[in-house]
């Protein structure tokens, strides 16, 4: 007789638990009922662009690449973006559900249904589960219960802020856009206060920064009065390293290649094998090493953005904290985001107090102080919670579970999948495989019972979790060593790691190729090998492309242009109609949502602007041009710079003479040279443009310091019936 399983939560962890119990376990071993309070599967992840009722905004970009955000037996398409938007992750989950669960005779889905109680029955080995839906409350018995309800139970909101009525106060998970936050009736501008200085605080500050910058610099008038009078103020308690989505595995190279950030993070050749556990507590010596690695990866101690982001030699033994945002640091440098050190202590009469800072004229507050996971366990009775050693005050480590967050032997029939912070998808899948094995009593094909039992006997997960509670040196993510967790589950489940494609170049820091760990590298015998092979191949091709060509360099250049540059330019003319001289001034790259303006060339009406979401810059330069004859005047010019992600191309557009905030026609697309052509000089690029009778021959050189541009130049010659001059411009921070 099949064992009945109730899975609570239909997000990624619930879906992979259901699929694994039905497909990886012996046939007929389990019958699965999946419950979720939402009206559809997906959990946090919206299923479409218009699905705005989830905790994640549909257009939010994942902070791990698709090579990590995946299951081993369901591949992304190679043309999907490296960092999918939230709705695309939801679409991936829908495809996974349709492929493995829909129509399965041993599976049933109950959405719009809340689990109110789940407790072990006194007179049997089963669990009684009370499920409430619009049709009423139903009681059912199950052999097993899987908690896949996620770690985001209730937003944490300081009590004194929950009582504020004079201005909008929301949790970061509720933010959607400026209009819904600020309304359309506040006439004077003000300060948007971000509270919380870890991952979500940086991400939401960067997101609001993009929205505010776009609203200020859009050619369309904003619905929000005095939008240019708003600014962002972010309270942080410690420096935090802010990584862009793309980093370089060779940060010291003049032509530094770029790859999604997790390619370097999960490069197995960066660590000796077998892997040792680096999660939990971090010593002062290890903290210094990790802070040094982060500094080297970014090429900066971040003091150039703000002293409050700087990790100094004196503070390098402090615990490192990491966040991901493409735009945050340069918004801080530009002043759009202003930092305050300390903790929000009070808010009264429109003034917030943080340490010695008084922040007045606050228009709205966005709280990014995390979630309380305990409500995700509210259906469990007190005696079960006691056996799990539940501690509501320890929101990072609320329960103590055996073998890397999977179960507690004292509570038979209860399992957990994805119940910890940062449940990387590969680990979720491994936890589901563990439960299938554990509850099948070693009947899975190809698995070694002795190895499984030995790993289980030697496991000290419970003791470790309890020791980390109240430990002042606990790491940012207590179960954050993804590669180690995958290794340990692989050993217990007798799942060997698939070899890397191994066809990439060797990296200079260790003379070894990049060996990127993905979920597809750990494939169970019962799973679809074709999809795993496809994923491994795609990851390998991306790695080789990034390391041997200019792929992703245009994106890295585009991201790093944000803000203000010093510009020195020489113009040398061979004709008296154009004066020779020198320009000195500034160039601003002002970020905004991509507009639809622009035609392919001056003699055409064909649009070349891709119909997609994205960002662009309004480029404004201002300064003084002094001719060799001593005459000087104020000079300005404008362009629109765009990045097309699908083509990995940066383009420059002339601004309309009668509307300088809009693109007119295409100036040129930037074509990057191969790294071999520019190895000692930085990334070189070229472009050409025929403007009526005049031909512009354009050359670029972009000098990176690790992930950020430090200096770049442009040179172009213009030749035509009435023009013959050369311009050389140098941009520095």
């Amino acid at each position: 007789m099949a064992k009945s399983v109730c899975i609570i939560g239909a997000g990624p962890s619930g879906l992979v638990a259901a699929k694994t119990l039905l497909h990886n376990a012996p046939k007929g071993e389990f019958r699965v009922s999946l419950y979720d309070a939402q009206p559809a599967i997906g959990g946090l992840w919206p299923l479409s662009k218009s699905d705005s009722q989830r905790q994640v905004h549909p257009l939010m970009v994942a902070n791990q690449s698709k090579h990590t955000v995946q299951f081993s037996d369901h591949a992304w398409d190679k043309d999907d973006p490296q960092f999918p938007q939230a709705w695309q992750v939801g679409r991936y989950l829908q495809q996974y559900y349709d492929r493995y669960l829909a129509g399965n005779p041993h599976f049933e889905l109950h959405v719009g249904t809340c689990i109110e109680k789940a407790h072990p029955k006194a007179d049997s080995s089963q669990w009684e589960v009370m499920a409430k839906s619009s049709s009423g409350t139903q009681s059912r018995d199950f052999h097993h219960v899987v908690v896949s309800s996620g770690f985001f139970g209730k937003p944490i909101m300081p009590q004194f802020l929950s009582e504020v009525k004079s201005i909008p106060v929301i949790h970061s998970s509720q933010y959607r856009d400026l209009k819904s936050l600020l309304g359309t009736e506040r006439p004077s501008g003000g300060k948007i206060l971000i509270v919380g200085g870890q991952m979500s605080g940086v991400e939401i500050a960067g997101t609001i920064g993009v929205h505010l910058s776009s609203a200020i610099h859009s050619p369309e008038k904003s619905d929000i009065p005095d939008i240019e009078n708003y600014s962002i103020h972010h309270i942080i308690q410690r420096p935090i390293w802010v990584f862009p989505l793309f980093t370089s595995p060779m940060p010291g190279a003049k032509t530094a290649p770029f790859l999604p950030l997790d390619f370097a993070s999960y490069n197995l050749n960066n660590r000796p094998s077998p892997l040792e556990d680096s999660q939990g507590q971090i010593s002062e010596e290890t903290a210094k090493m990790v802070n040094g690695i982060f500094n080297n990866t970014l090429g900066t101690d971040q003091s150039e953005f703000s002293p409050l982001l700087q990790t100094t030699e004196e503070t390098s033994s402090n615990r490192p904290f990491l966040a991901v945002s493409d735009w945050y640091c340069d918004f801080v440098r530009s002043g759009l985001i202003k930092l305050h050190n300390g903790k929000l202590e009070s808010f009264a009469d429109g003034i917030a107090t943080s340490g010695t800072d008084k922040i007045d004229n606050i228009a709205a507050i966005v709280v990014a102080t995390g979630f309380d996971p305990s409500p995700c366990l509210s259906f469990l009775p007190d005696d079960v919670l006691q056996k799990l050693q539940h501690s509501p005050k320890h929101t990072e480590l609320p329960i103590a579970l055996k073998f890397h967050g999977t179960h507690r032997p004292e509570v038979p029939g209860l399992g957990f999948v994805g119940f910890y912070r940062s449940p990387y998808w590969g680990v979720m899948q491994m936890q589901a495989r563990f439960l299938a094995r554990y509850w099948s009593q070693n009947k899975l094909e190809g698995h070694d019972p002795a190895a499984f039992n030995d790993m289980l006997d030697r496991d000290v997960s419970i003791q470790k979790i309890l020791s980390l509670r109240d430990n002042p040196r606990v790491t940012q993510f207590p179960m954050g060593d993804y590669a180690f967790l995958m290794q340990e589950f692989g050993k217990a489940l007798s799942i060997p790691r698939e070899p890397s494609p191994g066809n990439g170049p060797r990296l200079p820091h260790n003379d070894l190729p990049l060996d990127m760990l993905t979920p597809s590298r750990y494939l169970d015998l019962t799973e679809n090998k074709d999809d795993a092979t496809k994923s491994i191949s795609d990851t390998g091709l991306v790695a080789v492309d990034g390391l041997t060509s200019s792929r992703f360099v245009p994106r890295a250049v585009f991201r790093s242009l944000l803000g203000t540059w010093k510009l020195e330019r020489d113009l040398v003319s061979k004709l008296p109609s154009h004066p020779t001289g020198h320009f000195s001034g500034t160039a601003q790259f002002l970020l905004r949502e991509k507009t639809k303006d622009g035609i392919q060339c001056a003699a055409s009406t064909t649009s070349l602007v891709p119909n997609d979401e994205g960002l662009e810059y309004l480029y404004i330069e201002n300064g003084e041009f002094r001719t060799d004859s001593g005459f000087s005047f104020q000079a300005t010019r404008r362009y629109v710079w765009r990045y097309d992600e699908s083509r990995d191309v940066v383009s420059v557009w002339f601004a309309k003479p009668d509307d300088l905030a809009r693109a007119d026609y295409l100036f040129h697309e930037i074509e990057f040279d191969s790294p071999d052509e520019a190895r000692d000089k930085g990334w070189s690029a070229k472009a050409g443009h025929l403007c009526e009778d005049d031909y512009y021959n354009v050359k670029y050189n972009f000098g990176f310091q690790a992930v950020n541009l430090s200096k770049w130049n442009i040179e172009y010659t213009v030749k035509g019936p009435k023009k013959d001059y050369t311009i050389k411009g140098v941009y520095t921070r």
Side-chain angles (χ1 to χ4, degrees):
M1 179 181 176
K3 300 170 186 173
S4 56
V5 183
C6 169
I7 299 179
I8 304 171
S13 53
L15 293 172
V16 76
K19 179 266 167 188
T20 303
L21 290 169
L22 292 172
H23 291 269
N24 294 44
K27 189 174 182 180
E29 182 81 6
F30 298 105
R31 290 183 292 108
V32 173
S33 299
L34 179 61
Y35 292 85
D36 200 290
Q38 297 267 12
I41 66 163
L44 301 174
W45 300 98
L47 301 182
S48 67
K49 289 183 183 180
S50 60
D51 186 0
S52 60
Q53 301 306 309
R54 309 293 178 113
Q55 282 182 315
V56 175
H57 190 289
L59 301 183
M60 186 202 79
V61 176
N63 59 22
Q64 297 276 306
S65 79
K66 67 179 181 180
H67 307 278
T68 299
V69 181
Q70 63 164 248
F71 298 127
S72 66
D73 48 356
H74 188 65
W76 287 86
D77 190 89
K78 67 181 181 64
D79 294 327
D80 285 323
Q82 296 297 310
F83 288 89
Q85 292 181 332
W87 72 270
Q88 293 170 315
V89 177
R91 181 184 63 188
Y92 175 95
L93 291 173
Q94 184 67 61
Q95 292 169 347
Y96 186 79
Y97 171 85
D98 292 342
R99 179 176 187 176
Y100 289 113
L101 296 174
N104 189 308
H106 302 288
F107 171 80
E108 56 186 34
L109 174 66
H110 302 273
V111 293
T113 305
C114 178
I115 300 299
E116 294 191 317
K117 292 181 181 179
H119 63 89
K121 300 184 72 172
D123 56 348
S124 73
S125 61
Q126 294 189 336
W127 285 70
E128 182 180 7
V129 176
M130 305 289 290
K132 183 179 180 180
S133 66
S134 58
S135 58
T137 301
Q138 183 183 26
S139 173
R140 291 180 62 183
D141 291 347
F142 293 91
H143 292 96
H144 300 284
V145 171
V146 177
V147 178
S148 296
S149 48
F151 212 70
F152 303 99
K154 179 183 178 182
I156 295 175
M157 179 77 70
Q159 181 61 35
F160 66 90
L161 287 183
S162 64
E163 298 170 355
V164 172
K165 306 298 181 187
S166 56
I167 60 170
V169 178
I170 66 169
H171 191 264
S172 57
S173 61
Q174 298 171 299
Y175 177 79
R176 291 297 178 266
D177 53 50
L178 287 174
K179 187 175 180 179
S180 61
L181 175 66
L182 300 172
T184 58
E185 297 180 359
R186 183 181 174 92
S188 60
K191 298 167 183 173
I192 301 170
L193 186 66
I194 311 295
V195 180
Q198 288 201 42
M199 179 85 76
S200 59
V202 168
E203 288 183 349
I204 197 64
T207 297
I208 295 176
V210 171
H211 293 173
L212 183 57
S213 178
S214 183
I216 292 172
H217 303 299
S218 171
E220 306 293 342
K221 183 175 175 59
S222 173
D223 292 334
I224 303 170
D226 301 310
I227 188 65
E228 67 280 359
N229 293 333
Y230 286 91
S231 60
I232 300 165
H233 288 248
H234 186 195
I235 298 175
I236 62 174
Q237 296 186 48
R238 63 181 68 84
I240 186 165
W241 297 101
V242 184
F243 277 56
L245 292 173
F246 286 78
T247 59
S248 178
M250 298 164 56
K254 290 287 186 182
T255 50
F258 285 86
L259 286 168
L261 61 89
D262 41 3
F263 275 67
S265 301
Y266 305 144
N267 178 8
L268 294 172
N269 279 336
N270 282 342
R271 297 171 63 177
S273 182
L275 303 175
E276 294 186 4
D277 190 0
S278 69
Q279 60 193 357
Q281 176 179 314
I282 187 166
S283 67
E284 291 188 5
E285 182 180 354
T286 303
K288 286 183 179 180
M289 180 189 69
V290 174
N291 280 315
I293 291 172
F294 288 174
N295 192 327
N296 182 63
T297 301
L298 297 176
T300 173
D301 63 6
Q302 300 188 141
S303 58
E304 65 195 83
F305 304 112
S306 168
L308 297 183
L309 290 177
Q310 180 185 15
T311 296
T312 64
E313 185 174 345
E314 291 75 21
T315 62
S316 63
S317 62
N318 294 345
R319 294 176 297 161
F321 285 80
L322 169 72
V324 178
S325 174
D326 271 346
W327 313 109
Y328 178 87
C329 284
D330 277 306
F331 280 142
V332 170
R333 173 165 29 202
S334 72
L336 185 69
I337 297 176
K338 297 177 174 62
L339 299 185
H340 302 267
N341 185 37
K343 183 178 181 180
L344 181 63
E345 297 165 355
S346 65
F347 178 80
D349 301 321
I351 299 175
T353 302
S354 172
T356 58
D357 287 356
K358 304 285 186 182
I359 310 168
D360 61 2
N361 192 29
I362 295 176
I365 300 176
V366 180
V367 179
T369 48
F371 289 83
D372 176 6
S374 291
C376 295
L377 303 170
S378 61
F379 47 81
L380 294 175
D382 290 342
D383 61 325
V384 170
L385 291 173
Q386 281 185 337
K387 291 175 182 177
L388 300 175
Q389 293 179 275
H390 178 232
S391 176
K393 72 175 184 177
H394 294 101
T395 56
E396 303 285 327
L397 298 162
I399 54 177
L401 299 174
K402 193 169 178 63
F403 208 78
H404 311 298
T406 53
H407 70 294
R408 190 73 189 234
E410 298 92 325
V411 190
L414 182 65
F416 292 80
V417 175
F419 195 79
Y420 70 100
R421 281 190 67 201
S422 296
Y424 302 111
W425 292 43
V427 176
M428 291 185 220
Q429 191 169 26
M430 285 293 204
Q431 290 176 325
R433 289 165 175 165
F434 178 92
L435 292 179
R437 168 69 183 277
Y438 188 57
W439 291 339
S440 297
Q441 300 176 338
N442 290 328
K443 290 190 292 187
L444 283 107
E445 180 184 353
H447 290 208
D448 180 2
F452 183 87
N453 292 328
D454 179 61
M455 292 289 287
L456 207 52
D457 290 341
R458 292 190 290 113
D459 177 63
V460 293
S461 297
I462 293 174
Q463 301 93 306
K464 184 170 185 177
I465 290 170
L466 295 176
S467 72
L468 291 175
R469 289 177 173 175
D470 303 316
N471 187 325
R473 296 203 64 85
V474 67
T475 52
Q476 183 181 9
F477 302 107
M479 284 180 62
D481 193 340
Y482 166 57
F484 172 77
L485 290 172
M486 295 293 283
Q487 171 189 273
E488 296 303 284
F489 276 111
K491 288 179 182 177
L493 299 170
S494 306
I495 302 177
R497 187 173 67 230
E498 294 290 320
S500 168
N503 55 349
R506 293 176 177 267
L507 300 178
H509 69 280
N510 58 10
D511 196 33
L512 293 170
L514 193 149
D515 187 11
M516 164 70 166
L517 174 66
T518 67
S520 295
R521 299 279 298 279
Y522 285 94
L523 188 69
D524 191 82
L525 285 173
T526 62
E527 292 174 345
N528 187 313
K529 190 166 185 176
D530 290 344
D531 274 63
T533 301
K534 179 181 176 183
S535 290
I536 293 171
S537 174
D538 182 34
T539 303
L541 289 173
V542 169
V544 171
D545 274 358
L547 292 171
T548 61
S549 74
S550 62
R551 186 176 182 185
F552 306 128
V553 174
R555 190 190 192 285
V557 166
F558 182 81
R559 176 199 63 79
S560 197
L561 290 171
L562 176 63
T564 302
W565 296 80
K566 297 176 184 177
L567 171 58
E568 302 293 332
R569 178 189 291 128
D570 290 311
L571 187 152
V572 178
S573 176
K574 295 181 179 180
L575 300 176
S577 56
H578 285 77
T580 294
H582 180 80
F583 173 90
S584 181
T586 60
Q588 291 179 288
F589 286 84
L590 305 171
L591 194 68
R592 68 187 191 186
E593 291 181 10
K594 192 175 289 182
T595 56
K596 303 298 182 186
D597 306 304
I599 55 176
Q600 186 169 355
C601 66
S604 170
T605 58
T606 304
S607 173
L608 194 69
V609 184
N611 184 24
D612 63 351
E613 298 93 3
L615 299 169
E616 67 183 21
Y617 292 115
L618 176 62
Y619 170 99
I620 303 176
E621 68 177 56
N622 288 297
E624 181 184 65
F625 183 80
R626 181 173 292 274
T627 67
D628 284 0
S629 61
F631 178 70
S632 65
F633 56 89
Q634 293 298 304
T636 184
R637 66 172 66 181
R638 296 193 179 203
Y639 297 103
V640 173
W641 285 55
R642 289 173 168 149
Y643 174 68
D644 182 349
E645 182 174 11
S646 63
R647 299 169 58 225
D648 196 29
V649 169
V650 174
S651 59
V652 186
W653 302 67
F654 291 106
K656 288 185 176 180
D658 58 346
D659 190 348
L660 293 173
R662 297 184 183 275
D664 192 3
Y665 59 93
L666 179 66
F667 184 8
H668 58 260
E669 292 185 335
I670 301 175
E671 180 185 342
F672 284 80
D673 296 330
S674 73
D676 290 334
E677 295 178 64
R679 188 168 298 282
D680 298 325
K681 301 177 294 182
W683 282 102
S684 59
K686 57 183 177 290
H689 172 75
L690 180 64
C691 181
E692 296 180 346
D693 296 327
D694 304 319
Y695 186 78
Y696 290 71
N697 183 32
V698 189
K699 296 180 181 179
Y700 287 92
N701 186 268
F702 296 98
F704 278 92
Q705 184 172 337
V707 300
N708 293 308
L709 282 175
S710 58
K711 179 181 178 180
W712 60 283
N713 57 62
I714 179 172
E715 174 183 342
Y716 56 90
T717 57
V718 184
K719 290 186 179 292
K722 297 180 180 180
K723 295 179 182 178
D724 190 355
Y725 60 85
T726 300
I727 292 178
K728 296 181 179 180
V730 178
Y731 295 77
T732 57
R733 284 294 188 186

